[in-house]
Amino acid sequence: RDIEAEDPPRTEEALREEIHKYMKLEQELKESIPEEVHVSCFSINTKDLIAILAGRYSSLQKNLTDLIAKRAREKNQSLMNDFNQMERRIRKVPQNIKELTELQEFLDNIPNELDKIKIEIDASMDIFKILETFNYRFPVDDMNKKWNIYGYPKQIKELVEERRVALEKEKAKFQEKMLVDQEEFKENIENLERTIQGFYQHNKLEAHEETAGIAESVDASLKSFFEQAKTFNHHESLFKLEPNDYSRIGQMQKEFQHYYNLWTYAHKWFVYSQQWMNCEWEELNAEEAEKFVEDAIRILASAIRFFRDRGERDQNFMLIQKIAEKVKAEIDEFKPKVPLMVALRKKGMTDRHWEAISNICGFKVKPDEKFTFATALEMGLMNNVDKIVEIGEKANKEFGIETML
């Protein structure tokens, strides 16, 4: 057990020498002690003593031989596992050209892998030779594994050649299918392009929810098409074919982005503005509202420029331009109210801060269960917005200091 636990472990050759050492010691023991010893008038039989002492050496030899045999089994099992794994990989049926190419590359590397495994096989055979010098009797199963492993490289080589032929047929099928799929993909691109070209027909602002949903769907299709195009181009490179030019998808994305921005921001504006005005006070997220207003004004300004440029060449785009201008105008009108919202919802607003606001306004201002941002506007708090912003900033700074402490 001590020898088995050694790190690094002794080599099989070292274990063989250890066995020879114990065999020699056993023989010397037998030769050094006579079977019968005469002391005075007594005759002492030492055969049992010799057997006990020699048995200890025999036991050590057997344990070391078993240890070598155990290593032989483990090495054989490891090699068998490697071959089984390699065979499963070789027999794997590819589902697409990417998997097929990876499998072909794996097959190309098989000779290198077999050269490495051949070294392990030779080492395994050497262990068996060591055990044969001690007349070690292996079970039939172990011997079958030994010879199976010895012949496995030849079987793998034959299997590789068989699979190469099959993979070439699979490759032709994949290529044929890809060409069919690309034709269908081309039609889908043309259909989507027509949808985008006619998107100006969605020109009813009251239908903002429906139009935003359609815009979301078209945007999702564009993103999906973009990824499909990359996949097709990658597969074409694997087939060593000239890549198709799908750059028009990127151009479609660039053009449609303005429609998408207009209708998604328009829809969000009508939804969010109602929420900001009427939601429960503690649910009002003023910072998100501030960010949305800033982003929407910037993005809608870009959309207006795009549709104005198109409107100079095609009057159909003038209605879309007016919709974008109307939505932006509403947000522009709301923008001056945002600082008040942000100030009133600053972290750290306490009773004394609300009392300070009340003193400025000349009447009591304090949120209750019915208080909303619409209430704040109806109370005329915009008349003192600058001073209220100062109070909100002060409350927030005090809150930050208290949090640090």
Side-chain angles (χ1 to χ4, degrees):
R1 283 196 295 270
D2 291 341
I3 292 177
E4 190 172 0
E6 287 178 346
D7 187 19
R10 296 192 202 183
T11 64
E12 288 74 27
E13 290 76 11
L15 293 177
R16 178 183 59 187
E17 295 304 316
E18 194 76 9
I19 294 171
H20 281 304
K21 182 182 78 173
Y22 289 128
M23 291 176 68
K24 184 178 179 182
L25 289 172
E26 180 183 359
Q27 187 61 33
E28 289 175 352
L29 173 70
K30 290 178 178 179
E31 292 176 354
S32 63
I33 301 176
E35 293 183 352
E36 191 175 65
V37 178
H38 297 279
V39 179
S40 184
C41 61
F42 297 98
S43 177
I44 301 172
N45 190 317
T46 62
K47 288 182 179 180
D48 291 342
L49 176 62
I50 293 171
I52 291 171
L53 295 175
R56 292 178 180 176
Y57 287 124
S58 296
S59 179
L60 288 170
Q61 295 168 45
K62 181 179 183 303
N63 290 341
L64 291 173
T65 306
D66 288 343
L67 176 57
I68 296 175
K70 179 185 175 185
R71 290 187 183 178
R73 291 190 189 94
E74 290 174 347
K75 187 173 284 293
N76 269 4
Q77 188 59 53
S78 176
L79 287 167
M80 184 66 74
N81 292 341
D82 289 343
F83 278 123
N84 287 339
Q85 184 178 355
M86 185 180 291
E87 183 177 351
R88 283 195 299 271
R89 180 84 183 272
I90 294 171
R91 291 186 182 278
K92 183 180 178 181
V93 179
Q95 301 301 311
N96 51 55
I97 182 58
K98 182 175 180 292
E99 292 183 6
L100 187 145
T101 303
E102 290 173 352
L103 181 53
Q104 286 181 324
E105 290 173 352
F106 177 73
L107 296 184
D108 291 340
N109 195 49
I110 288 291
N112 294 331
E113 292 300 314
L114 289 179
D115 287 342
K116 295 175 186 177
I117 293 177
K118 180 66 165 57
I119 297 173
E120 295 297 318
I121 293 175
D122 290 342
S124 175
M125 295 299 146
D126 289 340
I127 296 175
F128 275 90
K129 289 178 182 177
I130 290 173
L131 291 167
E132 287 170 2
T133 62
F134 300 117
N135 297 318
Y136 187 89
R137 296 180 64 83
F138 273 97
V140 174
D141 183 58
D142 288 341
M143 294 304 295
N144 288 340
K145 281 185 179 179
K146 169 189 172 182
W147 295 115
N148 285 340
I149 287 169
Y150 187 79
Y152 236 119
K154 182 174 181 294
Q155 294 179 36
I156 290 293
K157 290 178 181 178
E158 292 173 352
L159 178 60
V160 166
E161 294 308 312
E162 176 187 320
R163 290 295 290 145
R164 285 190 189 281
V165 174
L167 289 178
E168 284 301 318
K169 295 179 181 178
E170 286 294 316
K171 184 176 181 179
K173 291 180 182 178
F174 285 141
Q175 184 171 341
E176 182 179 352
K177 183 179 184 305
M178 185 188 74
L179 294 175
V180 172
D181 291 343
Q182 283 181 303
E183 284 300 314
E184 182 180 345
F185 185 55
K186 181 181 177 182
E187 291 179 10
N188 291 338
I189 293 173
E190 292 172 352
N191 291 335
L192 189 60
E193 188 172 31
R194 283 193 289 270
T195 298
I196 293 172
Q197 289 172 348
F199 212 83
Y200 65 85
Q201 298 174 49
H202 296 280
N203 53 22
K204 304 296 182 185
L205 186 54
E206 58 271 21
H208 59 84
E209 182 176 2
E210 179 185 354
T211 307
I214 298 171
E216 290 275 3
S217 177
V218 172
D219 185 66
S221 295
L222 283 168
K223 290 175 180 176
S224 174
F225 283 10
F226 184 79
E227 293 302 318
Q228 287 182 59
K230 288 201 300 185
T231 301
F232 276 129
N233 285 156
H234 177 58
H235 288 178
E236 285 167 337
S237 69
L238 297 179
F239 282 118
K240 295 181 172 52
L241 299 174
E242 282 293 321
N244 275 284
D245 182 9
Y246 294 116
S247 60
R248 61 195 288 201
I249 296 175
Q251 296 166 0
M252 290 160 60
Q253 283 181 307
K254 185 177 180 181
E255 177 176 345
F256 187 72
Q257 190 65 44
H258 297 286
Y259 285 109
Y260 175 79
N261 288 340
L262 166 59
W263 289 108
T264 54
Y265 271 91
H267 176 57
K268 288 178 181 178
W269 161 246
F270 290 117
V271 173
Y272 291 170
S273 60
Q274 290 300 310
Q275 291 176 354
W276 299 334
M277 295 295 287
N278 302 305
C279 70
E280 292 183 10
W281 188 245
E282 294 301 321
E283 293 181 1
L284 177 58
N285 191 325
E287 291 182 355
E288 284 188 2
E290 182 180 40
K291 184 179 186 306
F292 175 85
V293 168
E294 291 176 355
D295 291 345
I297 290 174
R298 173 177 50 82
I299 289 171
L300 288 174
S302 175
I304 290 169
R305 288 192 297 272
F306 173 79
F307 292 121
R308 181 184 297 127
D309 179 64
R310 287 298 181 91
E312 291 175 356
R313 291 172 285 168
D314 186 343
Q315 291 187 351
N316 289 316
F317 289 90
M318 294 179 65
L319 283 175
I320 306 299
Q321 176 191 334
K322 289 179 180 179
I323 289 174
E325 289 172 342
K326 184 176 187 305
V327 176
K328 182 177 178 296
E330 290 187 20
I331 300 175
D332 283 333
E333 183 182 353
F334 184 79
K335 183 179 179 181
K337 303 178 180 68
V338 173
L340 176 65
M341 181 195 298
V342 173
L344 295 176
R345 289 293 295 140
K346 282 286 187 183
K347 292 180 179 178
M349 288 289 289
T350 61
D351 288 345
R352 61 188 177 85
H353 298 109
W354 288 106
E355 288 175 6
I357 293 174
S358 298
N359 292 334
I360 291 171
C361 295
F363 50 84
K364 185 178 180 180
V365 181
K366 187 177 180 181
D368 56 22
E369 64 276 5
K370 295 182 180 180
F371 191 84
T372 63
F373 188 58
T375 306
L377 295 177
E378 290 168 2
M379 294 172 75
L381 298 191
M382 280 297 295
N383 296 328
N384 296 287
V385 63
D386 292 338
K387 292 180 180 179
I388 294 174
V389 167
E390 290 179 8
I391 293 173
E393 290 294 337
K394 182 180 178 182
N396 190 247
K397 288 179 181 178
E398 292 171 355
F399 177 78
I401 294 171
E402 290 172 4
T403 302
M404 290 175 63
L405 295 177

